[in-house]
Amino acid sequence: MHAAPLTSAPERNLLVPFYDHPADRPEAWETLIAAAPLLYGVVLNPASGAGEAPDPAFAEAAARLRAADVPVLGYADTDYGRRPHADVVRDLLRHRDWYGADGAFLDQVATDPALLPHYRRLSVAARAAGARTLVLNHGAHPDPGYAELADLLVTFEGTWAAYPEVRAPEWTLGHPPERFCHLVYAAPPGARPATSVHCAVPGDAPHPWGTLPHLLESAR
């Protein structure tokens, strides 16, 4: 295919959305925490967001990740701009207050330039809530203006079979490659996305992010 088999991994290149509960998969969480030197960050998602009350198991996992110097990114769904600003910010504040999240992962982010003002407000709110690392998950290439708002843009999320062969838009060449990320699931062993920050997992829909990246699964 378009990506070479994985032979070695640079440090801090794995962005891992791992959504299984620590009480259900303690051994997987142990593997994830032990892989701290490889991790760009871990997306914390107790209940499609922060939930309605703190979860002690997620709080402990988040504390151990932070102690290992891994950015903890609180998950918040933006529903492509349809979710109210206040609801998204409430999730971010709960992640900070309950889990000590020092980053934010905004999911289902629009690509349309018309929604840039909405996401600019959200990015300001995320920084004000303590997000040192801000990730926008578009799942596709957005308007260039979004690059000004975040540290990392997820410009592909989907299956390995659907992983595009096309080149990135020309505007991306004006940014360092570490500003972009691909999240790929249903990926075979050895699969390596083209971006420097990435994640490729074996799991498939409807719950692909209940599996660890191949690199970590093979180390268990």
Side-chain angles (χ1 to χ4, degrees):
M1 202 171 170
H2 52 287
L6 180 62
T7 56
S8 63
E11 292 189 350
R12 301 291 187 186
N13 66 340
L14 291 177
L15 173 65
V16 182
F18 188 57
Y19 299 160
D20 272 5
H21 197 280
D24 297 332
R25 298 280 306 282
E27 74 294 339
W29 279 91
E30 290 294 335
T31 297
L32 187 59
I33 293 165
L38 302 176
L39 301 179
Y40 178 93
V42 172
V43 182
L44 204 72
N45 187 12
S48 296
E52 296 302 318
D55 186 312
F58 274 103
E60 180 185 2
R64 292 182 64 194
L65 287 167
R66 293 196 315 275
D69 197 29
V70 177
V72 175
L73 312 179
Y75 175 98
D77 184 11
T78 73
D79 194 22
Y80 302 104
R82 292 185 290 265
R83 191 176 182 211
H85 174 92
D87 291 352
V88 178
V89 173
R90 182 176 63 245
D91 258 340
L92 297 177
L93 293 174
R94 286 176 173 177
H95 278 297
R96 181 196 66 187
D97 296 342
W98 296 347
Y99 306 113
D102 50 9
F105 181 92
L106 301 186
D107 197 19
Q108 299 199 112
V109 175
T111 60
D112 190 338
L115 286 168
L116 273 167
H118 173 73
Y119 283 99
R120 187 171 290 110
R121 289 182 62 223
L122 284 177
S123 69
V124 170
R127 300 297 190 187
R132 293 183 294 172
T133 302
L134 176 59
V135 179
L136 302 183
N137 182 15
H138 306 273
H141 285 286
D143 180 84
Y146 285 93
E148 303 172 4
L149 307 183
D151 301 291
L152 187 70
L153 304 182
V154 178
T155 56
F156 177 83
E157 181 181 358
T159 66
W160 182 256
Y163 196 44
E165 300 279 354
V166 299
R167 295 190 179 195
E170 188 172 338
W171 69 262
T172 64
L173 300 178
H175 298 273
E178 60 269 20
R179 296 288 311 283
F180 304 98
C181 174
H182 292 165
L183 301 177
V184 186
Y185 55 89
R192 171 67 183 270
T195 47
S196 57
V197 180
H198 58 83
C199 189
V201 301
D204 203 348
H207 184 47
W209 308 117
T211 53
L212 293 176
H214 277 293
L215 179 66
L216 304 189
E217 291 281 11
S218 63
R220 293 172 60 183

